[in-house]
Amino acid sequence: MQDIVVDPGVHNRAAWDKYVQEGNEWTRPVSAEDVERARMGDWSIVLIGRECVDRSWLPRDLTGKDVLCLASGGGQQGPILAAAGARVTVFDNSPRQLGQDQMVAARDGLELRTVLGDMRDLSTFGNAAFDVVFHPVSNVFIPDLAPVWRECFRVLRPGGTLLAGFLNPDVYLFDHETLDERGELVVVHKLPYSDVTQYSAEERATKFGADAPLEYSHALTDQIGGQLAAGFVLTGFAEAPHQSNASAQYMSNYFATLAVKPG
């Protein structure tokens, strides 16, 4: 079924740049009021779906903590964490997503660094550069996870934490159109799933739109087992329904893990 070789990094960079232009939910920056509340200690950020992350998963005091918001552009989590006192670096594959963070930083006087790149390659950062890596649901847009977990482990300091959100792979079992149009769960795909292997370019254009991001399912062995293989110790787990997918009434669509790099 696979057509010509597609570079997911190149394709998804253009796709997310377009999403910014279209005002996709995950590209809309936080307000100046949100930033001001964060400066006063009243803040929340999302890791999976629309669920606020458990504050106990983050350092009690973020002041001076080095935080990497990994594949987390869009002007949402990064500015809030910066306003709460962290030294934030936002790393993302989409220039326009990073532009949203830059806009909020300029608007609200925040110190915030943005870096363009692929989440599988963090070579621009030295070893043990961060106290926290915040990685919301985004590794669905790459075919291989092991490099992500290895790089997260490398750039974290001993005792540092990784907060990772990801999709339940079972979401990809179901027919996309039937689910969206009638709310029915019709199993049509085998796992692991990928847009590239399941459909030709023409079929993808018809079903999702030619410019839609490419998505890849990942087994829990690769999500959770991959973190363990990289050296992490898992200390927290959470799940949440999808914010709009009809399958949410039957299953948890999102999982999140809290992992520690041993000191």
Side-chain angles (χ1 to χ4, degrees):
M1 178 67 71
Q2 185 168 0
D3 54 343
I4 60 173
V5 176
V6 179
D7 184 324
V10 172
H11 180 95
N12 287 341
R13 176 174 293 183
W16 276 95
D17 279 353
K18 185 176 181 182
Y19 270 175
V20 174
Q21 293 177 296
E22 295 172 345
N24 175 277
E25 175 179 4
W26 306 115
T27 73
R28 301 173 198 158
V30 295
S31 68
E33 291 75 19
D34 292 329
V35 171
E36 186 57 31
R37 284 195 295 270
R39 284 190 165 114
M40 302 298 292
D42 177 17
W43 59 271
S44 64
I45 53 176
V46 297
L47 181 62
I48 49 175
R50 295 194 180 115
E51 300 287 328
C52 295
V53 70
D54 187 334
R55 284 280 292 267
S56 70
W57 282 24
L58 289 157
R60 183 180 298 274
D61 184 2
L62 284 169
T63 303
K65 297 293 185 181
D66 290 301
V67 176
L68 174 63
C69 290
L70 180 60
S72 179
Q76 297 183 354
Q77 296 96 356
I80 294 298
L81 292 169
R87 291 193 294 258
V88 173
T89 299
V90 181
F91 186 94
D92 200 274
N93 186 43
S94 162
R96 287 186 180 272
Q97 278 284 77
L98 292 176
Q100 302 295 71
D101 291 276
Q102 294 160 1
M103 180 277 290
V104 176
R107 182 193 69 195
D108 300 327
L110 297 171
E111 292 188 16
L112 183 150
R113 179 188 180 195
T114 61
V115 180
L116 180 68
D118 188 309
M119 70 184 86
R120 294 168 292 183
D121 179 8
L122 304 182
S123 57
T124 189
F125 306 120
N127 296 341
F130 298 98
D131 300 295
V132 176
V133 174
F134 188 87
H135 181 46
V137 181
S138 54
N139 63 34
V140 65
F141 302 114
I142 56 171
D144 48 332
L145 297 187
V148 177
W149 305 135
R150 288 196 301 266
E151 284 290 82
C152 286
F153 191 86
R154 182 184 64 79
V155 303
L156 275 170
R157 294 171 181 139
T161 52
L162 165 67
L163 288 74
F166 46 91
L167 271 176
N168 180 344
D170 290 351
V171 169
Y172 288 98
L173 290 168
F174 310 113
D175 179 70
H176 171 81
E177 292 173 314
T178 305
L179 190 59
D180 285 351
E181 294 172 5
R182 300 198 298 272
E184 298 177 3
L185 278 61
V186 179
V187 175
V188 295
H189 301 137
K190 292 182 178 180
L191 301 180
Y193 165 93
S194 97
D195 288 336
V196 175
T197 56
Q198 183 65 37
Y199 301 110
S200 68
E202 292 75 17
E203 289 170 331
R204 291 198 301 272
T206 300
K207 292 182 75 70
F208 311 117
D211 300 322
L214 299 172
E215 297 189 13
Y216 305 81
S217 79
H218 297 293
L220 297 184
T221 299
D222 297 321
Q223 295 282 15
I224 296 174
Q227 294 181 54
L228 296 171
F232 285 105
V233 175
L234 266 64
T235 60
F237 183 84
E239 52 191 293
H242 195 279
Q243 66 275 3
S244 59
N245 192 294
S247 65
Q249 62 184 306
Y250 303 105
M251 62 193 297
S252 294
N253 305 76
Y254 293 117
F255 300 136
T257 52
L258 174 64
V260 177
K261 179 176 181 175

